[in-house]
Amino acid sequence: MSASVFYAAFFFPSAAIVLVFFMKYISAVLQARVRLGQDEAYRELATKATNSQAETTAALVSVGTALADIQSRITVIEKILKDVE
């Protein structure tokens, strides 16, 4: 066997193994980037949901206050109408 055949028999399988591990490494890096992007999207979605809940709570408090004011006014009107009868 000549030396070039020996080197070729050693080089090509070694190069294939290195190439496979390199591709697996690149794949892992790309998957990590995708996961990071998804995590950021979920974090942004959670922030928006929290802000929406806070706005909804503030609106409900405002509506509750207005409803209590209307209820007190109706009570006063009912009292006046009973006094008129």
Side-chain angles (χ1 to χ4, degrees):
M1 220 189 304
S2 70
S4 61
V5 173
F6 175 74
Y7 289 133
F10 177 73
F11 174 74
F12 289 120
S14 299
I17 290 171
V18 169
L19 184 64
V20 167
F21 282 114
F22 179 73
M23 290 172 61
K24 286 181 76 172
Y25 173 76
I26 294 297
S27 173
V29 168
L30 292 176
Q31 287 176 359
R33 286 183 184 170
V34 168
R35 270 190 241 118
L36 180 64
Q38 288 175 344
D39 290 347
E40 290 297 324
Y42 285 134
R43 193 171 291 120
E44 182 179 332
L45 181 64
T47 303
K48 286 182 181 179
T50 303
N51 291 339
S52 295
Q53 286 177 348
E55 290 173 4
T56 302
T57 301
L60 284 174
V61 167
S62 174
V63 169
T65 304
L67 185 61
D69 184 46
I70 291 170
Q71 194 172 14
S72 66
R73 288 181 184 188
I74 288 176
T75 304
V76 169
I77 291 171
E78 285 177 348
K79 184 177 179 186
I80 292 172
L81 288 175
K82 284 183 183 178
D83 289 343
V84 170
E85 286 182 357

